[in-house]
Amino acid sequence: MKRRSVVKYAAVAAALSLGLTACGGSGSSDAKGSGTVRVTLANHVWTEGIKAAIPEFEKSSGLKVELTQLGEDQLSDQYNVKLNAGSDEIDVMMYRPLQEGKAFAKNGYLADLTSKVSSDSNWDWKDYQEGPVKATTADGKVVGVPIITEREVLYYRKDLLKAAGLEVPKTMEELEAAAKAIKAANPDTAGFVARTGKSAAVTQFSSFLYSFGGDFTDSSGKSTVNSDAAKKAYAFYGGLIKNYGPANVSTDMSWPEAMAIFTQGKAAFYTEADSLYKNATDPAKSKVADSVGFAALPAGPAGSKPYNIPSWGLAVNQASANQDNAWKFIEWATSKERTLAAQKAGVPGPRASVWANSEGTSTYPKDLAEAIAVSAKNGVGHDRPQVVTVGKAREIVGEPIVASITGADASAAADSAHEAFQKFLDSEKK
Amino acid sequence: MTSPRSAARNSGRAPNGREKFSDWANAHRKWLFAAPAMAFVGVLIVFPLAWTLYLSLTDSQGSVRAATEFIGLENYLTVLSDVERFWPAVGRTLTFTGIALVCEVVLGMGIALLLWRPFRGEKWVRVAILLPLVATPVAVGMMWRLIFDPNIGFANQLLAAVGIPAQPWLSGQDTALGTTIFMDVWQWTPMVVLILLAGLTSLSEEPDEAARMDGANAFQRFFFITLPLMMPTVIVAILLRGIDALKTFDILYATKGKGGGSFHEVETLNVYAYGLSFDYNQYGLSSAVLILFFMIIIGSMWLLTMRKKAVSK
């Protein structure tokens, strides 16, 4: 490590960690500009597939891959410290375009890949779906390559629906009625479960918001979280959980907790990202693996409008001295063959050609593939406010969700969230 | 400083390089030996503090490398007038520390007294008591989080078995802080036991025996003889545990996540500052919170050491 970067690194680490737990070690960095590509990835099914295939890449390219794998929060913290310090210890980074993309691009952490993506027609950048491409483009420059896409779908229990003599709900009203009926018939089983944590729930709530005709902001960037549509969506989402959700529902659930309730057989309906479906259909993880069904998000007053987003992408660290080799890794990891292989392993990808290929959906439950196809068509390209400090924005717009779940006045909460959100948006414009 | 040896040499021939260096080292030895320690303190304590202080006076946000403006005490004014997050966090930090400390010291003293006199199976009991201490706080947090899960957790199933309705534990707005205090007490009481037991075993037995001869009962002997003699040790235990409890982070983060839960129900100053840095990227504001936090810690520790001096006299 160069002396200057030691000082900068220490400065940032110090600034960020005084009184907090110390940050992890920095690892070796003698590989600068050399034949070693340092790749940082999140824990994800996609990562598992790539990890297994890396020897193949090392053999064909003659490069060595040094892999760091971290949980989502740890990953984000690592980036905050290392990229902030201008560290060159990361070459390729897996990041969340909608969560960190704007902030990273604004801070100049991401290398411009515009000329690289168009250099090889075989690799084919045009093959990428439009929404995901938009999310990894900043100020007209391509700064990342999407790898995983997600849409919100309805997970349901076929056996419970059959026992209650119900059809798969097509509208929000039908969903509510079915949740009510099933909860009434089975007191131990929740009619509906979904994320409840203030920040965690925002992404899944967004599809309800769009389906009721709302959004977080209007076209001029002003807050609309207290519009009539938004208020109805808040009341509906929270009401479903409050009235038909699990007993003693907590307000801290993210997907692992909500998924656990569903896979333990304690809920009839669950709305969640399609990319997590394996958790529900894998008999090793799910008690209800053989009775899980999938459907497109039920339609609200404005139709069925789930989000359709790239949840993860790969980018190159601007400070890396090894950018060409980093790109070689990305090119390989996102090639048509690799994307197809990942998709077959259960990771919905961003390539149109893979979706068009019948092999690309061959391993999916049939009803899930259909739901994905429908959702991809009328989906919305974001699932959270599109701002720089997404973490803070999520906490603000998530407030009424929690209020609604706990039975407080959702409409009043939406009004105060609107005020706070507008103030926040103004502060970001400065 | 000239040593007799170098003085003798100086009278004779000119010193060579090695001798020159050893003379120089001799003359500066108090600095030389202290240098590693000083560098350590400088790099790991003084520099981070100074940098945090500097950041707290700027509007740094987004990236610490971005251009920042010096804004004086504005961050402090913002923080000190923030009644939504900052002051409740101060309150929670003090509540958490206060209650946890009292429970740990009282419980710790009780257990230490029980372990004081030798008994059969003493070794096993000591090992059992020390177990929570060796577990990683994050793992402890995750474990209790599973136990206290409102729907599939062990705690509620246990309650159901004896006919008590399910409790919200960690998920309740009012119960979450209490539950995390319980976890802290569970994990850290053993440390207090260790310190107090060390203190007890080093007490001389004469005063106790004399009191016994005079007919004092167990309570009287404890409150008028043992406790006063133990006071310096008790304060050391409070000091050590107090600093740790004030800056508790891992079990809070592991059980309730960012922001200390949806209602910030367990958000202490540490969790708040972490959120400001890593979630909101507001480094200036976060630094101001940390500096204020630092001052709170220094202040309370100063009060305690004053008290210890008074007791020791």
Side-chain angles (χ1 to χ4, degrees):
Chain A
M1 210 192 298
K2 289 171 293 187
R3 185 181 297 143
R4 204 167 54 103
S5 80
V6 174
V7 171
K8 272 202 283 179
Y9 193 93
V12 177
L16 295 180
S17 68
L18 175 71
L20 298 173
T21 37
C23 324
S26 56
S28 72
S29 64
D30 47 358
K32 195 167 75 71
S34 69
T36 304
V37 185
R38 283 151 309 172
V39 181
T40 305
L41 302 177
N43 292 334
H44 196 283
V45 205
W46 183 87
T47 304
E48 298 311 317
I50 280 293
K51 212 160 95 180
I54 278 177
E56 203 180 282
F57 170 71
E58 287 181 327
K59 211 169 151 196
S60 68
S61 66
L63 295 167
K64 203 180 156 321
V65 175
E66 207 176 282
L67 182 69
T68 311
Q69 203 179 332
L70 295 162
E72 246 175 75
D73 282 344
Q74 285 77 7
L75 187 79
S76 178
D77 291 351
Q78 282 272 321
Y79 290 158
N80 257 327
V81 174
K82 290 197 172 169
L83 301 179
N84 242 325
S87 160
D88 57 5
E89 282 169 30
I90 300 173
D91 299 322
V92 176
M93 48 197 265
M94 182 164 167
Y95 80 115
R96 294 171 290 178
L98 292 164
Q99 182 77 15
E100 293 135 347
K102 277 207 173 187
F104 283 5
K106 188 179 163 218
N107 293 338
Y109 296 165
L110 308 178
D112 181 1
L113 304 176
T114 315
S115 61
K116 292 195 165 92
V117 290
S118 47
S119 62
D120 182 358
S121 59
N122 267 338
W123 178 76
D124 200 3
W125 179 234
K126 291 207 173 61
D127 188 24
Y128 278 80
Q129 293 170 354
E130 194 190 323
V133 165
K134 226 171 100 187
T136 56
T137 307
D139 301 325
K141 285 182 210 152
V142 178
V143 292
V145 177
I147 48 176
I148 297 154
T149 64
E150 277 178 7
R151 290 134 301 267
E152 185 163 357
V153 294
L154 182 69
Y155 293 53
Y156 67 90
R157 286 272 303 283
K158 289 178 187 162
D159 53 336
L160 288 175
L161 239 64
K162 202 173 163 197
L166 291 164
E167 291 284 305
V168 180
K170 291 237 159 28
T171 66
M172 292 289 182
E173 281 132 29
E174 285 171 24
L175 173 66
E176 185 170 6
K180 190 177 177 183
I182 291 176
K183 170 111 176 172
N186 313 274
D188 284 347
T189 310
F192 178 83
V193 69
R195 302 187 195 179
T196 59
K198 184 159 70 174
S199 187
V202 168
T203 50
Q204 311 311 305
F205 164 73
S206 73
S207 297
F208 286 78
L209 180 63
Y210 310 147
S211 300
F212 273 81
D215 203 334
F216 298 109
T217 54
D218 62 16
S219 53
S220 60
K222 290 247 182 285
S223 159
T224 54
V225 293
N226 72 336
S227 66
D228 280 346
K231 282 183 177 176
K232 275 184 200 145
Y234 279 125
F236 184 82
Y237 184 88
L240 270 183
I241 295 170
K242 181 178 182 291
N243 300 327
Y244 318 114
N248 333 298
V249 70
S250 88
T251 48
D252 296 317
M253 289 200 289
S254 185
W255 76 263
E257 293 84 16
M259 182 66 87
I261 292 179
F262 184 74
T263 52
Q264 290 290 310
K266 295 202 184 269
F269 293 104
Y270 174 37
T271 52
E272 187 55 77
D274 52 14
S275 60
L276 298 171
Y277 85 91
K278 282 248 156 154
N279 290 287
T281 57
D282 179 355
K285 292 179 185 166
S286 168
K287 280 190 186 169
V288 294
D290 48 4
S291 55
V292 176
F294 299 92
L297 192 82
S304 167
K305 286 195 167 171
Y307 61 76
N308 176 25
I309 53 123
S311 48
W312 291 94
L314 291 180
V316 175
N317 176 12
Q318 174 71 52
S320 156
N322 201 9
Q323 295 195 7
D324 287 333
N325 287 334
W327 173 250
K328 272 186 202 153
F329 177 83
I330 295 185
E331 209 172 22
W332 165 78
T334 59
S335 66
K336 285 178 183 164
E337 300 77 50
R338 284 283 353 134
T339 308
L340 178 64
Q343 192 154 314
K344 277 165 81 177
V347 184
R351 280 185 177 272
S353 66
V354 174
W355 283 109
N357 183 344
S358 61
E359 218 187 317
T361 52
S362 60
T363 57
Y364 283 64
K366 201 168 149 273
D367 51 353
L368 179 62
E370 280 163 16
I372 290 177
V374 174
S375 308
K377 223 176 287 163
N378 40 13
V380 177
H382 58 280
D383 64 349
R384 59 200 88 187
Q386 295 169 289
V387 293
V388 177
T389 315
V390 178
K392 191 169 187 180
R394 282 175 78 153
E395 287 209 349
I396 297 173
V397 301
E399 195 94 50
I401 304 178
V402 178
S404 176
I405 291 170
T406 52
D409 185 348
S411 164
D415 283 329
S416 51
H418 167 73
E419 211 171 290
F421 191 42
Q422 187 56 52
K423 219 168 113 192
F424 165 84
L425 290 169
D426 292 340
S427 77
E428 281 222 328
K429 282 216 181 96
K430 263 191 267 173
Chain B
M1 202 203 298
T2 15
S3 66
R5 218 177 97 223
S6 62
R9 206 167 49 218
N10 283 349
S11 60
R13 59 198 168 78
N16 65 23
R18 216 175 104 204
E19 283 166 346
K20 254 191 208 157
F21 174 75
S22 98
D23 280 350
W24 178 88
N26 245 329
H28 298 89
R29 61 177 179 267
K30 67 176 173 189
W31 292 110
L32 260 179
F33 283 116
M38 273 161 40
F40 183 82
V41 170
V43 171
L44 288 165
I45 298 172
V46 178
F47 176 71
L49 252 180
W51 183 264
T52 310
L53 190 64
Y54 160 74
L55 273 184
S56 74
L57 301 174
T58 69
D59 63 351
S60 170
Q61 62 171 339
S63 163
V64 285
R65 286 186 293 158
T68 51
E69 226 171 278
F70 191 76
I71 53 167
L73 294 175
E74 206 177 290
N75 282 329
Y76 291 91
L77 291 178
T78 314
V79 169
L80 289 172
S81 60
D82 172 13
V83 290
E84 261 175 52
R85 301 280 290 271
F86 179 75
W87 286 110
V90 173
R92 274 181 224 113
T93 308
L94 298 178
T95 315
F96 182 93
T97 310
I99 300 182
L101 258 183
V102 169
C103 295
E104 281 159 21
V105 170
V106 171
L107 259 175
M109 186 55 114
I111 298 173
L113 285 172
L114 287 177
L115 294 178
W116 188 10
R117 307 276 175 234
F119 57 92
R120 269 184 73 180
E122 188 188 345
K123 266 188 195 159
W124 294 106
V125 174
R126 285 194 189 191
V127 168
I129 283 178
L130 287 183
L131 276 180
L133 202 58
V134 293
T136 319
V138 175
V140 168
M142 308 262 262
M143 176 189 85
W144 284 107
R145 182 180 170 160
L146 274 176
I147 293 177
F148 284 131
D149 184 281
N151 290 293
I152 46 180
F154 177 68
N156 277 346
Q157 282 175 12
L158 203 68
L159 286 188
V162 290
I164 302 174
Q167 299 298 314
W169 306 115
L170 278 169
S171 54
Q173 256 182 89
D174 314 317
T175 51
L177 191 63
T179 309
T180 53
I181 291 176
F182 163 79
M183 285 153 53
D184 193 77
V185 171
W186 178 86
Q187 178 159 37
W188 293 109
T189 303
M191 192 181 100
V192 180
V193 173
L194 271 187
I195 299 172
L196 295 182
L197 200 54
L200 279 174
T201 39
S202 67
L203 286 186
S204 75
E205 301 203 0
E206 284 90 18
D208 193 62
E209 270 166 23
R212 204 189 290 254
M213 298 291 254
D214 289 342
N217 63 28
F219 277 97
Q220 285 168 328
R221 290 200 320 271
F222 174 71
F223 281 106
F224 297 111
I225 310 279
T226 314
L227 195 58
L229 286 174
M230 280 289 288
M231 247 0 234
T233 319
V234 170
I235 289 177
V236 167
I238 293 180
L239 256 175
L240 288 175
R241 220 12 245 149
I243 299 174
D244 256 9
L246 271 173
K247 59 191 185 66
T248 300
F249 176 78
D250 0 30
I251 59 166
L252 300 177
Y253 188 76
T255 48
K256 297 292 283 182
K258 278 179 184 153
S262 283
F263 297 94
H264 310 301
E265 52 268 51
V266 301
E267 185 174 70
T268 59
L269 278 177
N270 232 348
V271 177
Y272 180 45
Y274 173 87
L276 280 176
S277 276
F278 286 99
D279 213 14
Y280 296 179
N281 300 109
Q282 288 178 323
Y283 305 119
L285 220 51
S286 160
S287 303
V289 171
L290 286 171
I291 293 288
L292 289 170
F293 186 27
F294 184 68
M295 283 169 14
I296 293 177
I297 296 184
I298 295 285
S300 31
M301 292 314 123
W302 180 73
L303 280 177
L304 269 175
T305 28
M306 285 289 118
R307 177 89 194 110
K308 179 166 181 267
K309 272 185 195 152
V311 169
S312 307
K313 272 175 196 162

